[in-house]
Amino acid sequence: MEDSDSEAYDYDENDHCDNYDHYDGYDDLKPQPSDCEDSGSEASDHGMPLGQGHGPLHDLGLLLGQAPTERVEFSFGGEIDFLPAAPGLSIDGLGHIALPVVEDAQAEAIMRVCEQSPFGHGLETRTDTSVRNSWELDPAKVSIHNPAWGAGIDIAAMMIADKLGVPNVPISLHLYKFLLYKEGGHFAKHRDTKEDDMFATLVVQLPSEHQGGELVVYRDDAAEPVRHDFGQAAGKSAYACHYAVHYADAEHAVTPITRGYRLALVYSICWPRSSAQPAETRDINKQLKTDMAETLTAVARTGRSFHLFFDHAYTTKTIEALGIAGLKGIDRSRMAVLSEINAAAPGDARFAFFIAEAEMHANFYGTAGWL
Ligand SMILES: O=C(O)CCC(=O)C(=O)O
Ligand SMILES: [Fe+2]
């Protein structure tokens, strides 16, 4: 029996301050999954660890890279026509709010019952309008009366599960905050750590008459960020609800609002507590399966253990509560394939998989300077 450990960074240093979006721009760089390299492996074009250039572990990396995975969208959004443009929004102490909000007096009345949005930084909670400038309300103070809203949110949950590559998982959407931005409002680059079971965020922008306020979601690999303009280019933001979804560990920012008011509802996308399921594998072709099983067995026979770096960041809480059922995106697919192949291996060549948190410390000596 061999042990194999995978690695996840628990970047969430504000575990004690879980209910705020986490901004760490005050700090120097912290290790991110993509910054980590296995000293015994090299990365292929598609980011798979390949082992040491040849041998069964190298082959296993190549084969794993060929296995079909659920098509996962990194961040997606657009108009959401199954959420009504007239949600019947009301706020405690103010009553019905007509959308879009265009009158300054109405916006100011809303701001008076809201609080300035805070954000998490390390163990602290701060407000600093140079980092985050918006107004927010707890969901308990917000009601949505149109019955079509709840039905629309149920449909949204199914659509989102599908696009995130977990089509059979009954994910849930929890309303987390109501947000209002006025001219000058924005939110600097941060990651979300709102609730324990959350793994992604849904932003629903209510019909809003505004300019600016794009949600920009950054990718770890230097690829172009995904920009959500919530219907502005199409001239529809005032007349329909628009949405955006991103993984909670993806860095994102809201660009400054340059005119008008922007209203949004932020939902946490959470794994189901009771029935979290690990991923199912897509049909792997028979030959690939045989090759992978043989290669995994060959790795076991060399007496080596191996590790696989995760692409996403995870909190300790998620991993402790859900194990591999809490994995996201490509990590989920790779782990599903490995588990399936491993389960079919001869008993004495079967691996046990562990999820481990690892830290890498690198020291550089010498006078060569920066290359
Ligand atoms: O206003 C938005 O679109 C997103 C706000 C945000 O990033 C957050 O509340 O964490
Ligand atoms: Fe956020």
Side-chain angles (χ1 to χ4, degrees):
M1 176 82 71
E2 295 290 329
D3 289 349
S4 145
D5 45 11
S6 306
E7 173 278 345
Y9 270 101
D10 176 14
Y11 67 91
D12 181 11
E13 65 185 6
N14 65 334
D15 256 1
H16 306 288
C17 173
D18 243 2
N19 294 326
Y20 297 97
D21 312 296
H22 187 217
Y23 170 77
D24 40 52
Y26 293 127
D27 292 333
D28 286 327
L29 282 180
K30 282 191 293 181
Q32 298 303 318
S34 58
D35 291 336
C36 314
E37 268 186 358
D38 168 12
S39 55
S41 68
E42 56 193 67
S44 71
D45 287 348
H46 45 281
M48 282 304 302
L50 297 182
Q52 281 174 320
H54 59 83
L57 192 51
H58 173 83
D59 296 343
L60 182 63
L62 285 179
L63 292 168
L64 203 48
Q66 286 170 29
T69 52
E70 291 287 351
R71 235 183 71 75
V72 176
E73 293 195 38
F74 169 73
S75 177
F76 50 91
E79 188 176 337
I80 186 160
D81 53 12
F82 43 84
L83 288 179
L89 175 71
S90 73
I91 290 180
D92 278 14
L94 288 179
H96 180 71
I97 308 291
L99 297 176
V101 169
V102 286
E103 301 292 335
D104 294 343
Q106 195 191 9
E108 278 153 21
I110 300 174
M111 282 182 259
R112 273 197 294 278
V113 297
C114 286
E115 60 168 321
Q116 180 88 47
S117 297
F119 58 92
H121 175 66
L123 299 181
E124 289 174 40
T125 299
R126 293 186 183 174
T127 47
D128 174 347
T129 52
S130 71
V131 174
R132 183 176 200 187
N133 191 358
S134 62
W135 298 89
E136 67 177 49
L137 264 183
D138 262 7
K141 296 186 176 151
V142 176
S143 316
I144 296 180
H145 297 286
N146 188 337
W149 190 268
I153 288 291
D154 290 346
I155 299 173
M158 285 188 279
M159 178 271 285
I160 292 167
D162 223 41
K163 285 187 183 273
L164 289 178
V166 289
N168 306 316
V169 180
I171 58 169
S172 54
L173 304 179
H174 298 165
L175 180 56
Y176 177 71
K177 280 278 143 68
F178 162 86
L179 292 177
L180 168 67
Y181 296 79
K182 63 176 178 175
E183 201 177 302
H186 71 107
F187 195 170
K189 245 188 194 184
H190 67 283
R191 296 182 166 82
D192 290 347
T193 51
K194 300 171 199 293
E195 294 181 81
D196 287 356
D197 296 343
M198 77 174 290
F199 67 101
T201 298
L202 162 68
V203 177
V204 177
Q205 181 174 297
L206 299 170
S208 296
E209 181 80 63
H210 73 299
Q211 277 166 11
E214 279 187 352
L215 177 66
V216 185
V217 186
Y218 297 87
R219 310 181 67 119
D220 279 342
D221 52 13
E224 276 296 294
V226 179
R227 306 184 84 90
H228 300 282
D229 79 344
F230 301 98
Q232 277 178 75
K236 293 190 81 175
S237 52
Y239 312 110
C241 289
H242 291 80
Y243 81 106
V245 169
H246 60 80
Y247 282 114
D249 62 313
E251 276 195 308
H252 57 284
V254 180
T255 63
I257 279 73
T258 52
R259 189 183 68 77
Y261 298 101
R262 172 175 183 259
L263 276 66
L265 297 172
V266 180
Y267 288 81
S268 297
I269 303 178
C270 302
W271 295 118
R273 256 267 152 93
S274 50
S275 60
Q277 298 141 4
E280 289 166 18
T281 48
R282 289 284 193 86
D283 290 339
I284 309 176
N285 98 36
K286 226 170 161 189
Q287 187 57 50
L288 184 59
K289 212 169 185 170
T290 312
D291 291 350
M292 284 183 78
E294 280 172 5
T295 313
L296 189 66
T297 306
V299 176
R301 302 268 188 248
T302 64
R304 285 191 65 177
S305 57
F306 66 93
H307 67 259
L308 175 68
F309 283 132
F310 287 150
D311 255 34
H312 286 275
Y314 299 94
T315 63
T316 312
K317 280 181 194 154
T318 299
I319 295 299
E320 280 178 0
L322 300 171
I324 64 168
L327 300 184
K328 297 178 270 199
I330 189 83
D331 298 335
R332 197 174 173 85
S333 301
R334 285 178 185 156
M335 207 52 224
V337 173
L338 271 178
S339 306
E340 182 177 328
I341 301 300
N342 190 51
D348 64 332
R350 215 168 279 161
F351 282 87
F353 295 117
F354 297 95
I355 299 179
E357 185 185 350
E359 265 181 49
M360 185 174 76
H361 298 274
N363 291 313
F364 299 95
Y365 298 103
T367 53
W370 296 105
L371 295 178

